[in-house]
Amino acid sequence: MGVSKTFLSILVLYFSLYTITPTSSASVQDQFINCLHKNTHVYFPLENTFFAPAKNVSMYSQVLESTAQNLRYLTKSMPKPGFIFKPVHESHVQASIICSKKLGIHFRIRSGGHDYEGLSYVSEIEKPFVVMDLSKLRQININIKDNSAWVQSGATVGELYYRIAEKSRVHGFPAGLCSSLGVGGHITGGAYGSMMRKYGLGADNVLDAKIVDANGKILDRKAMGEDTFWAIRGGAGGSFGVILAWKIKLVPVPKTVTVFTVTKTLEQDVGNKILSKWQVVADKLVNELFIRVIFNVAANNGSKTVTTSYNSVFLGNKRALMQVMKKSFPELGLTAKDCLEMSWLESIVYISGFSSRTPTTVLLQGKSPFPKNNFKAKSDFVKKPIPELGLKGMFKKLLKEDMPMMIWNPYGGMMAKIPESQIPFPHRKGVIFKIQYVTNWPESDRRTSRHINWIRDLYSYMTPYVSSNPRQAYVNYRDLDLGKNKINASVKQAQSWGASYFKDNFNRLVKVKSKVDPENFFRHEQSIPTLSVRR
Ligand SMILES: Cc1cc2nc3c(=O)[nH]c(=O)nc-3n(C[C@H](O)[C@H](O)[C@H](O)COP(=O)(O)OP(=O)(O)OC[C@H]3O[C@@H](n4cnc5c(N)ncnc54)[C@H](O)[C@@H]3O)c2cc1C
Ligand SMILES: *[C@@H]1O[C@H](CO)[C@@H](O)[C@H](O)[C@H]1NC(C)=O
Ligand SMILES: *[C@@H]1O[C@H](CO)[C@@H](O)[C@H](O)[C@H]1NC(C)=O
Ligand SMILES: *[C@@H]1O[C@H](CO)[C@@H](O)[C@H](O)[C@H]1NC(C)=O
């Protein structure tokens, strides 16, 4: 593509040495900046939009690290972007695509930076690369009258929820639980939260979208066509174009919702009676009730135990909740004292993990309540309850790791009603719950492979108890263990992870990709491959 061989090799040399030779570094950026100027009429102040190591290393690192969630992808040995560009106008995104293409620069798109494998700020397969960070495109326009909103990709879900609640106490949106998630990457991968059993995923509630395609054109739903509109609602980020904004459908929420968290140790749940009952009822409870189970390891009288926390949001008041629980899940022993009534917005703060009474304005700060760590995660879908013997072995494994966590997330309700092929997200009828496995370790702990081996071993142990053929996985819990593209991967090479994330929808995603981006301009370690490559 358009750039001379010598120029490219200078570029490669510069970035592979990762030492700063001002002349060559300046030339890459200068060419890019010149090209941007030629392709947009909207001014961008360089000092606020361009971040490069040669310009100011500390500023550059600060911007790179700002929203990056996984410290494992920020270590010294990880490849770093040549520069970071933060568009302040939609036309800058268009110009970035035109110019990257022209200059042969590989770029990654970042909205909220929560990608589990750092794909929005690290490329392990292509050098050099740059990052286009959409954090300055974060406008939110709520239209209560027609139950909709336009939200730009760089906004967080926390901001979105806050802005909705500012306009109305009885409107909400059913997306992620963690308030710092970026709307751009999150919704395009599915986006589940505590209202999924009532209303489905964020991606199930999208009405329209604005994207920039591989030619630098802005397209809305009508202009992109129904195939592409289908693909971007669940087909995950970085394959089809840059999402600029979503038009979402707001959903009704009651004025008062109720939350609770009840924690049991292994010793308090003798014979796994409570956990076993949860596995039977979790997907069959009324759709207004979402009870997930969070597993942690905790100190217990000088030894260790596993705690199971039943963490819940109910779309209704305390009295109604107590009635439901008495009838459907008395084993938990929920009491009125365990329950807190609050607004839907306050329940977001609660379920995000902030301590109670944290003001809701925290949702505007793009912060997570937890410190950043190194982490590795994986996911599974469960279709029949895991027997006690299986649970026993699982607990044994958990007790072997320093900071393990598991989250079991109930399905059923609306999730079971939406057909598998409605959007690319295929995990619907028949799923009782999803498992997320996580292991965290602090920055100072260098035993990376020990922790990764631990989670792989647990995953292997769980094989008989979870979905198979394919073993399903959630694409927003990106897991490169499932497979990694080489540059210009073939469909065959991508089939294994493609089937896990999308089941049969993978084939349709490949068709859409081949049509809208035949040159594979938008690519990363697990981007949807095109049909044109045959190997
Ligand atoms: C702490 C934490 C909590 C989470 N909680 C939930 C949860 O409750 N529910 C849930 O469903 N998921 C959850 N996730 C997973 C989350 O949905 C995904 O990581 C999601 O991809 C994050 O989107 P992002 O914009 O923040 O991330 P990014 O890292 O910015 O992007 C993710 C991917 O999408 C691409 N991308 C980003 N922006 C765009 C764009 N505008 N156009 C096209 N491609 C783009 C990136 O290149 C990357 O490949 C959680 C993740 C973390 C780390
Ligand atoms: C570099 O950036 C830091 C902020 O990270 C700022 O304090 C400092 O003044 C900048 N240095 C220069 C030379 O601009
Ligand atoms: C801790 O051990 C003591 C003595 O064995 C016992 O009395 C107590 O109940 C234990 N506490 C817990 C929380 O198990
Ligand atoms: C990948 O595909 C593009 C477009 O078809 C081509 O220009 C490029 O040379 C390919 N790269 C490799 C490494 O095969």
Side-chain angles (χ1 to χ4, degrees), residues 493-535:
Q493 286 163 343
Q495 191 73 46
S496 62
W497 58 260
S500 290
Y501 291 147
F502 308 112
K503 295 177 79 175
D504 289 343
N505 294 332
F506 180 61
N507 298 321
R508 184 169 172 199
L509 287 171
V510 169
K511 276 191 202 137
V512 177
K513 169 76 179 181
S514 308
K515 210 170 94 191
V516 302
D517 184 19
E519 287 176 25
N520 200 22
F521 176 70
F522 295 107
R523 57 185 187 266
H524 55 68
E525 286 78 352
Q526 279 184 347
S527 57
I528 305 294
T530 65
L531 280 167
S532 56
V533 181
R534 289 179 213 284
R535 257 182 229 146

Side-chain angles (χ1 to χ4, degrees), residues 298-309:
N300 185 35
N301 251 351
S303 71
K304 274 165 61 167
T305 188
V306 177
T307 57
T308 45
S309 292

